[in-house]
């Protein structure tokens, strides 16, 4: 599963560096036309993924997640393959729309892993799985840019689709799904309606806040993405701008890769919510000084520490969902969680661009820092009320009855 995630993550990011250039190749368009279509074509995938993630999660819960992984890989592979034959922006837009329908491979693989893993080691296993995704995301843009230079844009889409098909083959041949219930799961029901799934989420305040914070973290993380290259240009100048922008982007991924498994293991030992709270405050604190850096290397170092914090939140958060959701509904619950993450992916760049346009680039770092600290405060209060006040009330009720 690690290699399958690596291939999918690298393939999904291979086409991003030259997507706007591919649009330019369709004709002699103005800069504003290309920028507008780049935004629509990039964003539509997240919109459809937001809608379809819970649907695929529910199908996986009912019919098996291995089948859904194979369907996802096949749909992704075909849609990306056809992008290499697109001749205008509308065709590319429709294919990116279709791609979003199947963009659930990595979250579904996470649901697959959590249902095959005992709760006590879920954080460590998910942290290991995450390193496959991160490695793919780091290498994908580099490979995609090199392929585009050597083979051209259209051919790179076709090469990318091969990587996706390889992922599907790896899952089909090398992955076995055990339809079992572990002894530590006490739910007796084998199926739930969508209404019951939503009621389960809303009846657990900590779980609800963990899922809501999934969106806020993505908003915070993605708000900086559209303006990061502009910020690098301000700090370093236009010399080798692509290289230094890539370095700033990749620094966060390296920090993520370095610590994801360690945070997961620590969460298994001391509790997932404690780690999430700590990492939210850490990410907020690290974001703030980025507004005051005076050279590119200060920014790269801060981005590395940001990656350490943000990267730990993902596997630890999913491990907590594994702990709180019955096996029969974990795919659907993770689907809703993925939808919220995709919503953050959409809102973040819009918020960052708007703030930078009205108040300057530094304002994006201030707002992002505040958003992460606020998330940490909300998580801390909710967890405290549930863990301590709830237990205290339970003990008082027990002593009253005795």
């Amino acid at each position: 599963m690690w290699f399958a995630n690596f291939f999918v993550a690298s393939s999904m990011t291979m086409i991003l560096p030259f997507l706007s250039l591919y649009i330019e190749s369709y004709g002699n368009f103005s800069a504003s036309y290309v920028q507008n279509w780049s935004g629509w074509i990039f964003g539509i995938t997240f919109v459809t993924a937001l809608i379809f993630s819970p649907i695929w999660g529910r199908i996986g819960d009912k019919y098996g997640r291995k089948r859904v992984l194979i369907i996802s890989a096949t749909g992704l592979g075909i849609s990306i393959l056809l992008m290499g034959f697109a001749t205008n922006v509308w065709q590319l837009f429709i294919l990116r729309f279709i791609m979003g329908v199947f963009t659930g491979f990595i979250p579904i693989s996470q649901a697959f892993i959590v249902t095959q893993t005992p709760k006590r080691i879920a954080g460590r296993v998910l942290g290991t799985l995450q390193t496959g995704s991160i490695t793919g995301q780091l290498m994908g843009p580099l490979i995609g840019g090199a392929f585009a230079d050597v083979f051209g844009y259209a051919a790179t889409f076709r090469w990318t689709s091969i990587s996706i098909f390889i992922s599907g083959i790896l899952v089909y041949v090398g992955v076995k799904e055990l339809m079992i219930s572990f002894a530590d799961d006490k739910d007796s029901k084998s199926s739930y309606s969508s209404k019951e799934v939503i009621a389960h989420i809303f009846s657990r305040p900590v779980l609800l806040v963990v899922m809501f914070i999934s969106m806020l973290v993505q908003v915070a993380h993605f708000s900086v993405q559209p303006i990061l290259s502009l910020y690098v240009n301000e700090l370093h100048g236009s010399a080798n701008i692509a290289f230094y922008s890539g370095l700033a982007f990749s620094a966060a991924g390296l920090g993520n890769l370095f610590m994801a498994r360690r945070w997961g293991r620590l969460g298994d030992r001391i509790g997932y919510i404690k780690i999430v709270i700590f990492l939210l405050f850490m990410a907020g604190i690290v974001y703030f000084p980025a507004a005051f850096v005076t050279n590119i290397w200060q920014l790269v170092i801060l981005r590395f520490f940001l990656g350490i914090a943000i990267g730990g939140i993902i596997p630890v958060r999913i491990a907590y969902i594994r702990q709180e959701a019955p096996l029969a509904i974990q795919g659907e619950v993770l689907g809703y969680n993925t939808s919220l993450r995709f919503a953050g992916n959409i809102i973040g760049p819009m918020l960052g661009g708007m703030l930078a346009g009205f108040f300057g680039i530094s304002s994006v770092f201030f707002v992002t820092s505040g958003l992460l600290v606020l998330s940490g405060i909300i998580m801390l209060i909710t967890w405290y009320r549930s863990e301590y006040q709830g237990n205290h009330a339970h003990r008082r009720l027990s002593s009253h009855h005795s």
Side-chain angles (χ1 to χ4, degrees), residues 280-400:
L280 285 169
F281 282 113
M282 177 182 172
I285 291 167
V286 168
Y287 247 122
F288 190 80
F292 303 101
V293 296
T294 56
N295 65 64
I296 181 65
W297 298 111
Q298 292 171 353
L299 180 64
V300 167
I301 291 167
L302 287 173
R303 293 277 300 170
F304 176 79
F305 283 107
L306 175 69
I308 287 175
I310 295 288
I313 293 172
I314 296 170
V316 172
R317 187 181 62 218
I318 295 169
Y320 179 76
I321 294 172
R322 160 74 180 97
Q323 189 179 65
E324 291 297 307
L327 279 169
I329 64 171
Q330 284 185 3
E332 188 168 355
V333 174
L334 284 168
Y336 288 121
N337 184 70
T338 302
S339 289
L340 288 168
R341 288 187 63 205
F342 282 129
N345 292 355
I346 297 165
I347 297 167
M350 294 169 57
L351 176 66
M354 184 179 67
L355 287 171
F358 282 106
F359 306 107
I361 291 175
S362 295
S363 68
V364 181
F365 293 100
F366 296 143
V367 172
T368 296
S369 174
L371 194 59
L372 287 164
V373 171
L374 178 63
S375 299
I377 292 169
I378 293 170
M379 188 79 260
L380 178 61
I381 292 170
T382 308
W383 173 72
Y384 177 80
R385 284 178 175 173
S386 175
E387 189 76 10
Y388 292 100
Q389 292 184 357
N391 287 347
H392 179 69
H394 178 73
R395 284 194 299 270
R396 193 169 54 192
L397 187 64
S398 299
S399 62
H400 174 75

Side-chain angles (χ1 to χ4, degrees), residues 43-320:
I44 191 61
T45 301
F46 293 126
V47 174
T48 47
L50 182 155
I51 296 167
F52 280 90
S53 288
I55 297 172
W56 285 120
R58 184 165 183 80
I59 292 170
D61 287 334
K62 190 171 182 179
Y63 299 105
R65 295 171 186 86
K66 179 177 176 178
R67 294 178 184 177
V68 177
L69 285 169
I70 294 168
I71 293 169
S72 176
T74 304
L76 280 174
I78 292 171
S79 58
I80 291 175
L81 175 67
L82 293 176
M83 286 178 204
F85 298 96
T87 56
N88 59 60
V89 288
W90 278 107
Q91 291 175 2
L92 190 59
F93 179 83
I94 292 167
L95 288 168
R96 289 278 298 179
F97 177 94
I98 296 169
M99 179 182 171
V101 174
F102 298 98
T103 307
F105 188 95
I106 290 174
I108 294 167
S109 71
Q110 291 168 339
F112 177 88
I113 289 296
V114 297
T115 55
Q116 305 289 299
T117 304
K119 290 180 181 178
R120 66 183 183 276
I121 60 169
R124 180 175 59 191
V125 174
L126 285 163
T128 302
L129 182 69
Q130 167 116 340
T131 62
S133 305
I134 300 162
T135 305
Q137 289 167 8
L138 286 172
M139 295 185 64
L142 299 174
I143 297 170
F147 270 46
D149 285 340
V150 176
F151 301 108
Y153 304 135
T156 302
F157 281 101
R158 297 162 202 163
W159 282 108
T160 301
S161 68
I162 293 172
S163 295
I164 301 282
F165 289 131
I166 289 172
S167 301
I169 293 168
L170 286 173
V171 171
Y172 181 76
V173 174
V175 173
K176 184 177 181 181
E177 184 170 13
L178 303 174
M179 305 300 288
I180 59 173
S181 276
F182 292 105
D184 58 352
D185 283 293
K186 296 180 173 58
D187 66 300
S188 56
K189 293 182 66 172
S190 58
S191 64
Y192 293 72
S193 67
S194 289
K195 186 177 179 181
E196 287 176 314
V197 174
I198 294 171
H200 178 90
I201 294 169
F202 276 87
S203 68
R204 288 159 174 78
V206 177
L207 177 61
L208 181 62
V209 170
V210 165
M211 294 178 67
F212 178 67
I213 282 173
S214 295
M215 182 179 71
L216 293 183
V217 168
Q218 294 302 107
V219 170
H221 191 44
F222 273 73
S223 65
V224 180
Q225 306 287 49
I227 51 92
L228 192 60
S229 296
L230 300 175
Y231 197 44
V232 170
N233 189 41
E234 276 189 18
L235 294 171
H236 188 73
S238 58
N240 299 317
I241 182 66
F243 171 76
Y244 284 102
S245 295
L247 194 64
F249 273 100
S250 297
L254 287 172
N256 196 322
L257 183 65
F258 181 67
M259 283 296 292
R261 190 171 188 271
R262 292 175 174 85
W263 288 127
R265 188 190 299 125
L266 192 59
D268 291 334
R269 198 164 71 241
I270 70 171
Y272 303 122
I273 298 301
K274 292 176 185 176
I275 299 298
V276 169
I277 293 168
F278 172 77
L279 292 178
L280 285 169
F281 282 113
M282 177 182 172
I285 291 167
V286 168
Y287 247 122
F288 190 80
F292 303 101
V293 296
T294 56
N295 65 64
I296 181 65
W297 298 111
Q298 292 171 353
L299 180 64
V300 167
I301 291 167
L302 287 173
R303 293 277 300 170
F304 176 79
F305 283 107
L306 175 69
I308 287 175
I310 295 288
I313 293 172
I314 296 170
V316 172
R317 187 181 62 218
I318 295 169
Y320 179 76

